[in-house]
Amino acid sequence: MYLAVGLTMTTAGESHGPALVAIVSGMPAGLVLDREAIDHDLWRRQQGYGRSPRQKLESDKIDVLSGLRHGRTLGTPLALVVWNRDHKNWTWGMSPWPPTGEPEGKGTKPVTLPRPGHADLAGVMKYELPDVRDALERASARHTAAIVAAGGVAKALLHEIDVGVSSEVMAVGGASGEEEIRAAIDGARKDRDTLGGVVEVRVKGAPPGLGSYAAKDQRLDGRLASALLGTQAVKAAEVGGGLALAELRGSEAHDEIFRDEEGYYRETNRAGGIEAGISTGQPIVVRAAMKPLPTLMRPLRSVDLETKEPAAALVERSDFSAVEALAVVCEAVVAFEMAAAARDKFGGDSIGDLLAAHRAYVERIDWAPR
Ligand code: EPS
């Protein structure tokens, strides 16, 4: 039986394995992809103050194995690949097949010192793994490169219906403003510590009516929050006024409705562009909060899984802060959910059909972005 399930993404890949892969199914045929735009987002994800030396080894680029011909989607599954350049240093340690020859390079010795805050301890317990590396490789935020590649494809679809997605770093380690953030990261680096932070993503141009109150898995806010919380290191997600709305009275918390010759409008956007799980036509505003990364150069207390004795957690190359990268990743996950919601509403065999349905709909509701 064939089930139409809309736009979906499946990813695979380990941090130091050969590659990261994203298979995107349900993209309409005839969508033109801009390779440079997707590579630019991959580049942006690698930037930021406080990033790990790993980013100097990688220069992430998108490769496509299927679903695309001469730059246009075929309406069939797109297989997107981002190669791990660093894999050449891990060919024995991360060999998919039993390695041959003498152990060499990185990853040859089992990791036995779980880091508090990482996947290490829960991962080896859950999957009965002999080596913490078997858990941490997939849990690593390196995986987000594949998400950004898929988000780039989603942005191309959104661009066709004049929907744009942007992001901003709101705070790092409680500091805001470029100077203060740099100083905070310098301070953490000096103390061999790490910092988390908050990012905001905005979607402009989305028409009213994406998502639905009919079921929880169709609620746009629920889908966005789930996608944000499904991202490495994200511990909280907010829509519009978010947590602060709980402290207000109803008379202060909602966005009053007005109408002029151009149509309905609001003077405020406390709902973050979503009411009852449906887009309102205002900018969609979501935020994600990232915990400080758990790989510390001055490690926390842990237990050696081999000896069962107290020991310091694993120390390995990592970022002091990756909040700027998270902003780019959150853009991608939000873009993907918005593209999925647009595809659900307007159909998805061909981009022409989708555009025609979008045009007819915005005409019917007499809506234009403000
Ligand atoms: C990352 C790549 C990783 C880490 C980081 C994010 O590279 P490596 O492990 O080779 O240094 O820098 O991953 C984590 C923070 C983590 O907890 O796993 C990347 O490309 O974003």
Side-chain angles (χ1 to χ4, degrees):
M1 186 176 64
Y2 172 72
L3 283 176
V5 286
L7 189 63
T8 63
M9 179 200 328
T10 305
T11 68
E14 280 77 40
S15 181
H16 305 100
L20 304 158
V21 180
I23 296 184
V24 175
S25 299
M27 265 297 160
L31 179 68
V32 175
L33 298 187
D34 179 348
R35 189 176 193 170
E36 277 177 25
I38 298 172
D39 282 345
H40 183 65
D41 273 355
L42 288 168
W43 176 84
R44 288 172 63 224
R45 193 200 73 91
Q46 292 196 267
Q47 307 310 301
Y49 202 62
R51 289 289 265 152
S52 126
R54 172 75 184 272
Q55 303 311 327
K56 295 201 170 64
L57 295 171
E58 303 292 345
S59 76
D60 293 339
K61 300 257 188 288
I62 189 171
D63 250 348
V64 180
L65 299 186
S66 70
L68 194 71
R69 181 160 181 255
H70 301 171
R72 288 161 62 92
T73 55
L74 298 173
T76 54
L78 278 162
L80 314 176
V81 180
V82 178
W83 300 100
N84 287 322
R85 289 191 177 202
D86 196 23
H87 179 64
K88 66 177 188 304
N89 302 312
W90 298 74
T91 46
W92 196 98
M94 286 302 293
S95 170
W97 296 106
T100 50
E102 286 306 302
E104 61 165 17
K106 297 187 172 181
T108 55
K109 292 201 184 72
V111 176
T112 63
L113 304 168
R115 290 159 295 175
H118 215 291
D120 304 356
L121 182 58
V124 293
M125 290 167 105
K126 176 178 168 67
Y127 292 106
E128 201 178 2
L129 302 172
D131 180 350
V132 166
R133 182 155 303 285
D134 291 339
L136 71 86
E137 281 285 331
R138 175 62 180 165
S140 167
R142 171 83 190 136
H143 165 249
T144 58
I147 304 287
V148 169
V153 175
K155 283 181 183 179
L157 179 86
L158 294 175
H159 181 72
E160 293 287 330
I161 53 169
D162 297 323
V163 175
V165 185
S166 61
S167 66
E168 207 183 322
V169 171
M170 308 302 284
V172 176
S176 52
E178 206 174 316
E179 293 283 298
E180 290 79 0
I181 287 175
R182 281 187 173 235
I185 296 172
D186 286 341
R189 182 188 282 117
K190 198 166 126 277
D191 297 340
R192 295 185 294 153
D193 218 325
T194 59
L195 294 178
V198 179
V199 303
E200 183 172 283
V201 179
R202 289 180 164 259
V203 182
K204 286 205 176 134
L210 300 184
S212 173
Y213 46 73
K216 73 177 163 74
D217 56 356
Q218 294 170 14
R219 284 187 171 256
L220 189 58
D221 42 8
R223 287 172 65 153
L224 291 171
S226 164
L228 292 169
L229 282 166
T231 301
Q232 281 82 350
V234 172
K235 282 299 213 184
E238 269 193 336
V239 180
L243 283 172
L245 287 177
E247 287 162 25
L248 302 177
R249 289 184 165 197
S251 55
E252 304 163 319
H254 300 292
D255 305 305
E256 291 180 297
I257 301 170
F258 303 97
R259 189 175 166 89
D260 60 15
E261 61 287 349
E262 284 175 50
Y264 298 102
Y265 71 96
R266 319 286 181 109
E267 288 180 345
T268 53
N269 187 17
R270 294 156 183 146
I274 302 175
E275 287 175 335
I278 308 181
S279 60
T280 62
Q282 287 193 285
I284 289 168
V285 185
V286 294
R287 279 179 294 282
M290 180 187 212
K291 69 185 178 184
L293 298 173
T295 310
L296 299 177
M297 296 305 131
R298 209 164 54 189
L300 294 175
R301 286 176 291 180
S302 184
V303 174
D304 189 323
L305 300 179
E306 187 77 38
T307 64
K308 311 280 188 271
E309 295 296 327
L314 171 70
V315 178
E316 65 172 25
R317 170 184 76 190
S318 190
D319 310 70
F320 296 102
S321 166
V323 184
E324 286 178 72
L326 179 74
V328 181
V329 175
C330 289
E331 249 179 56
V333 302
V334 167
F336 197 86
E337 291 308 318
M338 294 306 302
R343 193 213 183 274
D344 287 349
K345 176 106 183 87
F346 303 120
D349 284 340
S350 89
I351 193 68
D353 289 352
L354 185 147
L355 289 179
H358 175 263
R359 209 175 306 119
Y361 173 69
V362 294
E363 262 174 49
R364 171 175 76 72
I365 61 169
D366 193 19
W367 176 82
R370 296 191 180 228

